[in-house]
Amino acid sequence: MPLTPPRIVTWTLNPAVDFVSTAPVIAATHKIRTHDEHVDPGGGGVNVARVVHALGGETLAIFTAGDVTGRFLDELLEEAGVPRHRVPIAGRTRVSFTFREETSGREYRFVPEGPTLSDAEWHAALAALPAASEHYVVASGSLPRAVPVGIYAEAARLAAARGQAFVLDTSGEALRAALGHGITLLKPSLRELETLVGRTLPDPAAQEKEALALVRNGAARMVVVTLGDAGAILASEAGVLRRQAPPAEVHSAVGAGDAFLAAMVLALARGAAPEDALDWGLAAGAVAIAGIGTARVTRSAVERRYAALRTKSAAGSA
Ligand SMILES: Nc1ncnc2c1ncn2[C@@H]1O[C@H](COP(=O)(O)OP(=O)(O)OP(=O)(O)O)[C@@H](O)[C@H]1O
Ligand SMILES: [Mg+2]
């Protein structure tokens, strides 16, 4: 037994302050009066840490932050009570906007590219990664400008050398460059998997084949592909599992994948079987999309969802 419970350390190089607000109709030129404003500390790993914290897990959010918006992000995390370690940068932390159009139910998401990091700053971010072996390190999100595309590969190698589990959720070249460098769990969305393999994958069998190929060719030990309203598939040495998403009211999909990943990783860190961890992920994803704001979940809502999923799968296998 480890002396301390595994801690889920998240690593976010390009976090954001996330604003969301709602208007009846979104149209050009005229002033659009908005209501129902929410602001959250955001960016892949920051969301994962918030959700792990909400679910009662041990976490630490490591993130870069700079300028007035960086201080704002830091304060939002303080308010949320999330243990954190800020790597200071000179650039200004980005601000993301989501506008919800009431009449259509559509969501418009504006995501800036974020600041430029100096060599010393991204080196400091690497140096902030923890050394103790029991940790799960979750690297998530896009890279800020001027950060080498191989930085997640380097973080994965460091984690593997330290005996840590390394979880990665990113896209594009940063994702491609990290494959095969010691990833325990990779979480592409279907769109990210399609970009990676260079073709669309409408056919479930093709999705499963590509996820399994990533495991078989050593890209990652486990691959969980999130499929939006279709649920998720999990590929590992043992084969492929597919689980439907539970029916859920959709209010905002921002951070659904992060909530999914947080709950799944927390379950794995607590020793759950992969198929059980997958249900925790689906439960948290369903709760996240039913709320407004980024990855807002409560422990009781996720536990209720999870219990309902378990009852359903028990009934299904009876
Ligand atoms: N419309 C939806 N209906 C039901 N569940 C959903 C819906 N959208 C998302 N989810 C839940 O949230 C999980 C993650 O969503 P998704 O697959 O969109 O990943 P993502 O990481 O948010 O996507 P991306 O990174 O491409 O924006 C899904 O596996 C599912 O459990
Ligand atoms: Mg995602």
Side-chain angles (χ1 to χ4, degrees):
M1 281 287 280
L3 289 175
T4 47
R7 197 177 206 194
I8 294 160
V9 178
T10 69
W11 196 55
T12 316
L13 296 175
N14 204 7
V17 173
D18 278 1
F19 278 96
V20 53
S21 81
T22 304
V25 178
I26 312 255
T29 313
H30 295 293
K31 241 177 224 173
I32 300 167
R33 298 289 175 185
T34 63
H35 60 91
D36 218 4
E37 278 90 22
H38 298 271
V39 56
D40 289 301
V46 167
N47 297 335
V48 169
R50 281 197 296 117
V51 173
V52 169
H53 181 69
L55 298 179
E58 282 277 317
T59 191
L60 175 70
I62 302 174
F63 61 102
T64 64
D67 203 55
V68 62
T69 46
R71 292 196 291 277
F72 187 28
L73 175 71
D74 200 45
E75 249 184 66
L76 289 169
L77 279 170
E78 162 88 38
E79 214 173 77
V82 177
R84 67 202 195 281
H85 174 86
R86 172 186 176 182
V87 177
I89 59 168
R92 181 175 292 168
T93 295
R94 61 189 172 151
V95 178
S96 297
F97 292 94
T98 301
F99 293 101
R100 303 172 58 248
E101 187 179 56
E102 264 165 336
T103 46
S104 67
R106 285 200 186 109
E107 217 171 32
Y108 296 87
R109 297 168 66 172
F110 301 88
V111 182
E113 58 187 348
T116 301
L117 262 58
S118 70
D119 288 359
E121 287 168 346
W122 62 257
H123 275 118
L126 274 173
L129 283 165
S133 64
E134 73 273 13
H135 296 310
Y136 275 64
V137 175
V138 182
S140 175
S142 63
L143 296 182
R145 284 176 283 166
V147 171
V149 82
I151 195 163
Y152 284 140
E154 179 61 20
R157 283 194 293 271
L158 281 171
R162 292 164 174 165
Q164 300 161 341
F166 186 80
V167 180
L168 182 62
D169 179 2
T170 190
S171 55
E173 286 311 305
L175 164 58
R176 191 182 300 280
L179 301 180
H181 290 280
I183 302 169
T184 311
L185 174 67
L186 183 70
K187 193 214 87 66
S189 61
L190 177 58
R191 212 161 34 90
E192 287 156 355
L193 180 67
E194 290 175 336
T195 305
L196 192 63
V197 302
R199 64 189 177 100
T200 57
L201 301 167
D203 172 28
Q207 297 163 1
E208 291 164 18
K209 182 170 156 267
E210 294 295 349
L212 199 55
L214 286 169
V215 173
R216 297 266 155 89
N217 69 25
R221 228 156 50 75
M222 284 187 283
V223 177
V224 63
V225 184
T226 54
L227 309 166
D229 61 1
I233 55 181
L234 175 66
S236 68
E237 250 328 298
V240 188
L241 275 163
R242 173 179 288 268
R243 294 283 278 144
Q244 299 304 315
E249 237 185 305
V250 185
H251 283 131
S252 173
V254 182
D258 302 325
F260 176 102
L261 188 61
M264 182 170 180
V265 171
L266 180 60
L268 289 172
R270 287 174 167 171
E275 59 272 24
D276 194 24
L278 194 55
D279 278 350
W280 278 110
L282 291 166
V287 173
I289 61 163
I292 297 171
T294 302
R296 291 190 172 193
V297 307
T298 62
R299 185 175 182 170
S300 58
V302 174
E303 285 174 352
R304 269 198 309 277
R305 273 283 177 185
Y306 168 79
L309 271 170
R310 284 277 115 176
T311 311
K312 192 170 152 242
S313 57
S317 60

XYZ file of all heavy atoms in Angstrom, residues 123-187:
458
model
N 10.906 25.749 -19.367
C 11.804 24.912 -18.559
C 11.340 24.896 -17.097
O 11.362 23.853 -16.441
C 13.246 25.431 -18.633
C 13.988 24.909 -19.825
N 14.496 25.719 -20.823
C 14.298 23.642 -20.189
C 15.073 24.977 -21.742
N 14.968 23.712 -21.393
N 10.903 26.047 -16.609
C 10.407 26.130 -15.223
C 9.156 25.275 -15.047
O 8.960 24.642 -14.006
C 10.117 27.584 -14.853
N 8.314 25.231 -16.083
C 7.105 24.399 -16.010
C 7.487 22.916 -15.934
O 6.895 22.152 -15.161
C 6.203 24.667 -17.211
N 8.484 22.514 -16.705
C 8.952 21.113 -16.634
C 9.540 20.817 -15.250
O 9.297 19.752 -14.673
C 10.027 20.863 -17.698
C 9.571 20.464 -19.101
C 10.772 20.434 -20.046
C 8.871 19.106 -19.105
N 10.290 21.790 -14.730
C 10.939 21.596 -13.425
C 9.920 21.519 -12.293
O 10.221 21.002 -11.216
C 11.929 22.732 -13.167
N 8.706 22.030 -12.535
C 7.664 22.016 -11.491
C 6.953 20.668 -11.397
O 6.186 20.440 -10.463
C 6.642 23.117 -11.771
N 7.196 19.777 -12.359
C 6.556 18.452 -12.303
C 7.046 17.706 -11.060
O 8.194 17.845 -10.661
C 6.889 17.656 -13.577
C 6.094 18.079 -14.816
C 6.720 17.508 -16.090
C 4.637 17.624 -14.703
N 6.157 16.915 -10.437
C 6.529 16.276 -9.171
C 7.482 15.101 -9.374
O 7.542 14.524 -10.459
C 5.188 15.773 -8.642
C 4.400 15.496 -9.885
C 4.814 16.522 -10.884
N 8.207 14.743 -8.324
C 9.190 13.667 -8.421
C 8.677 12.346 -7.858
O 9.085 11.284 -8.314
C 10.465 14.082 -7.682
N 7.764 12.383 -6.884
C 7.360 11.153 -6.189
C 6.614 10.207 -7.120
O 5.821 10.636 -7.963
C 6.502 11.506 -4.981
N 6.867 8.909 -6.919
C 6.402 7.925 -7.898
C 4.900 7.681 -7.872
O 4.327 7.241 -8.864
C 7.126 6.601 -7.665
O 6.771 6.113 -6.394
N 4.227 7.935 -6.742
C 2.824 7.500 -6.656
C 1.865 8.404 -7.426
O 0.696 8.096 -7.563
C 2.369 7.392 -5.193
C 2.143 8.701 -4.469
C 3.407 9.268 -3.823
O 4.511 8.772 -4.148
O 3.282 10.195 -3.016
N 2.368 9.512 -7.936
C 1.457 10.455 -8.570
C 0.960 10.016 -9.948
O 1.649 9.319 -10.677
C 2.136 11.810 -8.744
C 2.485 12.465 -7.448
N 1.580 12.605 -6.430
C 3.641 13.002 -7.004
C 2.169 13.214 -5.410
N 3.424 13.456 -5.727
N -0.239 10.502 -10.257
C -0.733 10.480 -11.628
C -0.481 11.882 -12.169
O -0.882 12.862 -11.529
C -2.238 10.194 -11.650
C -2.563 8.724 -11.614
C -2.227 7.946 -10.512
C -3.200 8.109 -12.693
C -2.526 6.588 -10.486
C -3.502 6.751 -12.667
C -3.164 6.003 -11.568
O -3.456 4.672 -11.543
N 0.153 11.982 -13.301
C 0.375 13.292 -13.906
C -0.555 13.400 -15.113
O -0.513 12.557 -16.015
C 1.852 13.464 -14.340
C 2.039 14.784 -15.078
C 2.770 13.411 -13.110
N -1.412 14.406 -15.101
C -2.342 14.612 -16.211
C -1.938 15.878 -16.959
O -2.065 16.985 -16.425
C -3.802 14.758 -15.707
C -4.760 14.929 -16.886
C -4.200 13.555 -14.859
N -1.408 15.695 -18.151
C -1.018 16.832 -18.984
C -2.165 17.073 -19.955
O -2.597 16.153 -20.648
C 0.269 16.527 -19.730
N -2.659 18.305 -19.978
C -3.851 18.519 -20.789
C -3.913 19.921 -21.357
O -3.617 20.898 -20.687
C -5.090 18.247 -19.930
O -6.257 18.563 -20.646
N -4.300 19.978 -22.619
C -4.545 21.255 -23.276
C -3.559 21.538 -24.399
O -2.637 20.768 -24.658
N -3.788 22.669 -25.035
C -2.929 23.068 -26.154
C -1.641 23.675 -25.613
O -1.515 23.934 -24.418
C -3.665 24.109 -27.004
O -3.908 25.267 -26.223
N -0.689 23.873 -26.502
C 0.582 24.480 -26.100
C 0.562 25.973 -26.396
O 0.070 26.395 -27.447
C 1.742 23.834 -26.864
C 1.980 22.348 -26.595
C 3.195 21.866 -27.403
C 2.184 22.072 -25.111
N 1.140 26.767 -25.480
C 1.269 28.192 -25.799
C 2.304 28.377 -26.904
O 3.071 27.456 -27.207
C 1.777 28.816 -24.502
C 1.844 27.736 -23.496
C 1.732 26.428 -24.191
N 2.339 29.564 -27.461
C 3.295 29.833 -28.534
C 4.731 29.708 -28.024
O 5.006 29.992 -26.867
C 3.055 31.236 -29.088
C 1.823 31.286 -29.973
C 1.552 32.689 -30.435
N 0.945 33.485 -29.376
C 0.849 34.803 -29.416
N 1.342 35.486 -30.430
N 0.256 35.448 -28.435
N 5.609 29.241 -28.931
C 7.059 29.130 -28.699
C 7.460 27.986 -27.775
O 8.629 27.860 -27.420
C 7.649 30.445 -28.192
N 6.496 27.157 -27.387
C 6.851 25.969 -26.612
C 7.113 24.833 -27.597
O 6.315 24.614 -28.512
C 5.715 25.599 -25.628
C 5.974 24.253 -24.986
C 5.577 26.673 -24.564
N 8.231 24.105 -27.451
C 8.522 23.043 -28.417
C 7.442 21.982 -28.443
O 6.885 21.610 -27.403
C 9.849 22.449 -27.929
C 10.204 23.137 -26.680
C 9.258 24.257 -26.424
N 7.138 21.508 -29.625
C 6.044 20.575 -29.829
C 6.295 19.247 -29.099
O 5.362 18.513 -28.781
C 5.817 20.411 -31.354
C 6.793 19.424 -31.963
C 4.390 20.067 -31.667
N 7.558 18.990 -28.769
C 7.891 17.737 -28.080
C 7.820 17.829 -26.567
O 8.249 16.906 -25.866
N 7.247 18.885 -26.020
C 7.300 19.053 -24.557
C 6.480 17.991 -23.819
O 6.873 17.531 -22.739
C 6.883 20.484 -24.135
C 7.317 20.729 -22.675
C 5.392 20.727 -24.351
C 7.353 22.176 -22.258
N 5.366 17.551 -24.401
C 4.597 16.491 -23.729
C 5.345 15.156 -23.785
O 5.238 14.342 -22.872
C 3.201 16.349 -24.345
C 2.225 17.437 -23.935
C 1.337 17.993 -24.857
C 2.156 17.886 -22.619
C 0.424 18.964 -24.485
C 1.247 18.869 -22.238
C 0.382 19.407 -23.169
O -0.530 20.368 -22.804
N 6.093 14.950 -24.870
C 6.934 13.744 -24.948
C 7.969 13.778 -23.827
O 8.209 12.766 -23.149
C 7.620 13.670 -26.310
N 8.561 14.940 -23.599
C 9.554 15.086 -22.538
C 8.915 14.849 -21.166
O 9.477 14.148 -20.316
C 10.173 16.497 -22.624
C 11.210 16.827 -21.573
C 12.431 15.910 -21.607
O 12.670 15.281 -22.649
O 13.124 15.823 -20.562
N 7.731 15.407 -20.955
C 7.029 15.215 -19.674
C 6.680 13.736 -19.479
O 6.787 13.205 -18.369
C 5.769 16.071 -19.627
N 6.280 13.066 -20.565
C 5.939 11.641 -20.477
C 7.175 10.819 -20.112
O 7.108 9.910 -19.274
C 5.354 11.156 -21.799
N 8.309 11.145 -20.722
C 9.562 10.428 -20.409
C 9.949 10.639 -18.948
O 10.356 9.695 -18.272
C 10.697 10.910 -21.330
C 10.632 10.330 -22.741
C 11.943 10.564 -23.497
N 12.194 11.968 -23.769
C 11.778 12.612 -24.865
N 11.072 11.964 -25.786
N 12.050 13.887 -25.035
N 9.822 11.870 -18.466
C 10.139 12.170 -17.060
C 9.251 11.346 -16.130
O 9.719 10.740 -15.164
C 9.923 13.656 -16.761
C 11.006 14.628 -17.191
C 10.524 16.075 -17.007
C 12.281 14.391 -16.377
N 7.937 11.329 -16.433
C 6.988 10.593 -15.592
C 7.324 9.101 -15.593
O 7.341 8.458 -14.535
C 5.560 10.823 -16.083
N 7.622 8.560 -16.779
C 7.932 7.130 -16.875
C 9.196 6.814 -16.064
O 9.244 5.828 -15.323
C 8.113 6.729 -18.338
N 10.197 7.679 -16.152
C 11.446 7.458 -15.414
C 11.208 7.516 -13.906
O 11.918 6.876 -13.125
C 12.482 8.498 -15.826
N 10.196 8.268 -13.484
C 9.896 8.411 -12.054
C 8.878 7.380 -11.569
O 8.466 7.411 -10.414
C 9.345 9.821 -11.793
C 10.407 10.891 -11.988
C 9.800 12.275 -12.110
N 10.838 13.300 -12.161
C 10.645 14.560 -12.549
N 9.445 14.952 -12.907
N 11.638 15.414 -12.562
N 8.427 6.525 -12.466
C 7.460 5.497 -12.101
C 6.042 6.010 -11.953
O 5.197 5.376 -11.324
N 5.746 7.166 -12.518
C 4.401 7.752 -12.415
C 3.535 7.323 -13.596
O 4.048 7.028 -14.673
C 4.502 9.289 -12.431
C 5.312 9.865 -11.296
C 5.787 11.276 -11.572
O 5.819 11.731 -12.711
N 6.187 11.973 -10.521
N 2.228 7.352 -13.372
C 1.305 7.171 -14.492
C 1.179 8.523 -15.192
O 1.077 9.559 -14.536
C -0.052 6.718 -13.965
N 1.195 8.506 -16.510
C 1.127 9.754 -17.273
C -0.097 9.722 -18.184
O -0.285 8.799 -18.979
C 2.402 9.929 -18.107
C 2.475 11.259 -18.818
C 2.870 12.401 -18.142
C 2.134 11.373 -20.159
C 2.935 13.640 -18.789
C 2.198 12.602 -20.823
C 2.603 13.738 -20.127
N -0.926 10.744 -18.051
C -2.186 10.824 -18.801
C -2.098 12.046 -19.705
O -1.688 13.115 -19.256
C -3.377 10.971 -17.814
C -4.690 11.046 -18.570
C -3.376 9.824 -16.808
N -2.485 11.868 -20.966
C -2.353 12.990 -21.905
C -3.660 13.256 -22.655
O -4.289 12.347 -23.189
C -1.235 12.700 -22.918
C -0.958 13.816 -23.939
C -0.487 15.101 -23.265
C 0.070 13.366 -24.982
N -4.037 14.513 -22.686
C -5.207 14.958 -23.460
C -4.808 16.222 -24.208
O -4.828 17.317 -23.658
C -6.382 15.238 -22.505
C -7.632 15.728 -23.246
O -7.598 15.809 -24.494
O -8.631 16.033 -22.571
N -4.428 16.038 -25.458
C -4.083 17.199 -26.267
C -4.402 16.884 -27.721
O -5.053 15.874 -28.006
C -2.611 17.632 -26.038
O -2.376 18.888 -26.665
C -1.630 16.603 -26.597
N -3.952 17.730 -28.624
C -4.327 17.534 -30.019
C -3.154 17.862 -30.939
O -2.109 18.350 -30.491
C -5.524 18.431 -30.348
O -5.203 19.766 -30.034
N -3.356 17.568 -32.208
C -2.421 17.997 -33.246
C -1.018 17.443 -33.085
O -0.814 16.295 -32.678
N -0.040 18.289 -33.399
C 1.352 17.852 -33.417
C 1.880 17.509 -32.027
O 2.724 16.628 -31.873
C 2.242 18.932 -34.062
C 2.094 19.017 -35.580
C 2.203 17.653 -36.259
O 3.214 16.950 -36.050
O 1.254 17.270 -36.971
N 1.405 18.230 -31.004
C 1.856 17.953 -29.634
C 1.460 16.540 -29.226
O 2.214 15.834 -28.544
C 1.263 18.973 -28.665
N 0.275 16.121 -29.676
C -0.214 14.767 -29.398
C 0.640 13.745 -30.167
O 1.168 12.792 -29.586
C -1.690 14.674 -29.802
C -2.326 13.298 -29.950
C -2.217 12.502 -28.665
C -3.805 13.442 -30.324
N 0.794 13.983 -31.437
C 1.549 13.041 -32.279
C 2.967 12.836 -31.741
O 3.471 11.716 -31.672
C 1.591 13.558 -33.717
C 2.118 12.555 -34.735
C 2.183 13.161 -36.125
N 0.881 13.614 -36.600
C -0.052 12.808 -37.119
N 0.191 11.527 -37.255
N -1.208 13.294 -37.521
N 3.606 13.938 -31.342
C 4.999 13.870 -30.906
C 5.174 13.104 -29.602
O 6.269 12.629 -29.299
C 5.560 15.292 -30.753
N 4.098 12.993 -28.799
C 4.217 12.347 -27.485
C 3.998 10.832 -27.541
O 4.338 10.117 -26.596
C 3.229 12.972 -26.512
N 3.418 10.343 -28.647
C 3.066 8.921 -28.724
C 4.320 8.054 -28.568
O 5.362 8.342 -29.157
C 2.380 8.613 -30.061
C 1.090 9.399 -30.336
C 0.500 9.017 -31.693
C 0.058 9.185 -29.227
N 4.188 7.016 -27.746
C 5.297 6.079 -27.591
C 6.347 6.509 -26.577
O 7.378 5.852 -26.443
N 6.100 7.596 -25.848
C 7.117 8.068 -24.903
C 6.761 7.798 -23.440
O 7.337 8.420 -22.546
C 7.404 9.556 -25.134
C 8.126 9.791 -26.427
N 9.476 9.592 -26.556
C 7.678 10.135 -27.650
C 9.833 9.836 -27.814
N 8.752 10.160 -28.504
N 5.798 6.905 -23.205
C 5.503 6.543 -21.814
C 4.132 6.990 -21.355
O 3.952 7.330 -20.182
N 3.148 6.983 -22.274
C 1.790 7.411 -21.911
C 1.011 6.229 -21.324
O 0.899 5.177 -21.957
C 1.046 7.963 -23.143
C 1.820 9.138 -23.754
C -0.373 8.385 -22.778
C 1.296 9.573 -25.108
N 0.470 6.427 -20.130
C -0.344 5.384 -19.503
C -1.756 5.418 -20.089
O -2.323 4.379 -20.424
C -0.451 5.631 -17.975
O 0.864 5.873 -17.476
C -1.067 4.440 -17.272
N -2.314 6.613 -20.162
C -3.680 6.761 -20.682
C -3.724 7.973 -21.600
O -3.330 9.074 -21.211
C -4.674 6.955 -19.516
C -6.129 7.261 -19.885
C -6.787 6.068 -20.579
C -6.943 7.633 -18.639
N -4.216 7.740 -22.815
C -4.350 8.821 -23.803
C -5.839 9.083 -23.997
O -6.614 8.138 -24.136
C -3.718 8.344 -25.115
C -3.670 9.337 -26.280
C -2.673 10.446 -25.981
C -3.250 8.608 -27.567
N -6.250 10.363 -23.993
C -7.672 10.646 -24.192
C -7.929 11.573 -25.387
O -8.128 12.769 -25.242
C -8.330 11.265 -22.955
C -9.858 11.229 -23.099
C -10.578 12.399 -22.471
C -10.726 13.592 -23.316
N -11.557 13.507 -24.515
